Amino acid sequence: MTTVAVLADVHGVLPALEAVLGEAEVQAADLIVLAGDIASGPQPVETLDVLSALGERVVWVRGNADRELVEMARGTYSAQPPDAVSPWAAEQLREDQVELLAGLPTTVTIGDVLFCHATPRDDEEMVLVDSPISRWAQVFTGLPDEVRTVVCGHTHMPFARQVDRRLVVNAGSVGMPYGAPGPSWALLTEDGVQLRRAPLDAAKAAARIESESTYPGRSEWVAEYLLNNYSDTEALEAFRPRAES
């Protein structure tokens, strides 16, 4: 079986990305799948350059934040921005990076494993670890029977659970993890799935972003997402109304 490291929701946080890429199992993996929301954050250009340099070993999947970056960069985004950093990040991207994100698929299937950002049918649909089977059945409508594992991100909280004979894996978030500190990622091997966290000195990572990023709100950003860690309880309560709609 192909060994796959899954990195979701990097969100342009270069120190966190480098910490995960430095993990021995990631370096040894046959493939690195990026499960969306790759660049929207304080270091978008640098993040995309590092990942692009890894070549064909990287399999790219587009997330809702990547789609929004493209729309913002091209002047076609008409909604209220989801956060303050996204419009800034869109302005930083080179044209080749906008083209890269625009051309990414929303799902990739390798063997019997489907990789997506939120759900196979929607890049921002919310489903949680404790969502009922009926909700999972709804979002998996039309999924081919041969797909036995679905790997996603989007909610920034890692989990693995069974859903009617399928395995569902959420790789968590590299750049903005909820539930516990440290960049989270997933490893798929012939022995099964491992949910992993990479060690990261949050204070040093915050200092790097402060010194290297030109995002005007970087101090507030690192205070909220690097120096603070939202618990899974807080995140679940915040997301549950959207997951039930």
Side-chain angles (χ1 to χ4, degrees):
M1 173 184 171
T2 300
T3 301
V4 180
V6 186
L7 283 57
D9 297 271
V10 177
H11 279 288
V13 184
L14 187 60
L17 172 62
E18 291 175 344
V20 174
L21 293 177
E23 294 277 80
E25 295 91 342
V26 176
Q27 295 182 353
D30 298 308
L31 295 174
I32 298 173
V33 175
L34 305 173
D37 284 12
I38 302 159
S40 184
Q43 294 171 290
V45 172
E46 300 90 336
T47 294
L48 289 175
D49 281 344
V50 165
L51 291 168
S52 295
L54 296 176
E56 295 183 357
R57 197 161 67 97
V58 174
V59 177
W60 302 68
V61 175
R62 193 182 73 197
N64 63 294
D66 305 310
R67 170 176 51 79
E68 291 161 359
L69 281 187
V70 171
E71 294 170 357
M72 291 176 187
R74 292 178 171 175
T76 60
Y77 188 81
S78 58
Q80 181 72 20
D83 50 43
V85 74
S86 295
W88 174 86
E91 292 177 354
Q92 311 311 304
L93 297 180
R94 301 189 306 266
E95 182 57 33
D96 63 294
Q97 294 176 324
V98 175
E99 291 295 324
L100 168 66
L101 294 179
L104 297 184
T106 56
T107 67
V108 170
T109 301
I110 301 172
D112 63 356
V113 183
L114 183 145
F115 300 88
C116 60
H117 177 60
T119 71
R121 67 180 188 176
D122 190 291
D123 66 8
E124 56 185 358
E125 191 168 36
M126 194 73 70
V127 195
L128 305 173
V129 63
D130 58 354
S131 293
I133 292 293
S134 58
R135 172 65 172 154
W136 285 99
Q138 180 185 38
V139 304
F140 285 170
T141 298
L143 200 61
D145 289 341
E146 54 266 27
V147 172
R148 306 317 307 161
T149 300
V150 175
V151 182
C152 60
H154 190 48
T155 62
H156 298 206
M157 291 177 288
F159 66 79
R161 64 165 288 181
Q162 292 294 134
V163 176
D164 192 19
R165 298 186 296 279
R166 278 194 179 102
L167 177 64
V168 181
V169 179
N170 190 307
S173 172
V174 171
M176 299 167 61
Y178 300 156
S184 57
W185 58 283
L187 183 67
L188 279 61
T189 71
E190 60 182 6
D191 297 322
V193 175
Q194 298 177 36
L195 300 177
R196 306 292 297 274
R197 286 192 184 269
L200 179 71
D201 186 319
K204 288 183 178 179
R208 268 193 65 190
I209 291 175
E210 289 257 28
S211 65
E212 296 176 11
S213 173
T214 59
Y215 172 48
R218 58 190 179 276
S219 296
E220 294 80 4
W221 195 96
V222 299
E224 182 168 3
Y225 296 112
L226 271 179
L227 302 178
N228 175 57
N229 179 243
Y230 289 102
S231 76
D232 52 325
T233 302
E234 292 173 309
L236 285 168
E237 287 302 316
F239 291 154
R240 188 160 285 114
R242 292 166 58 190
E244 294 172 350
S245 61

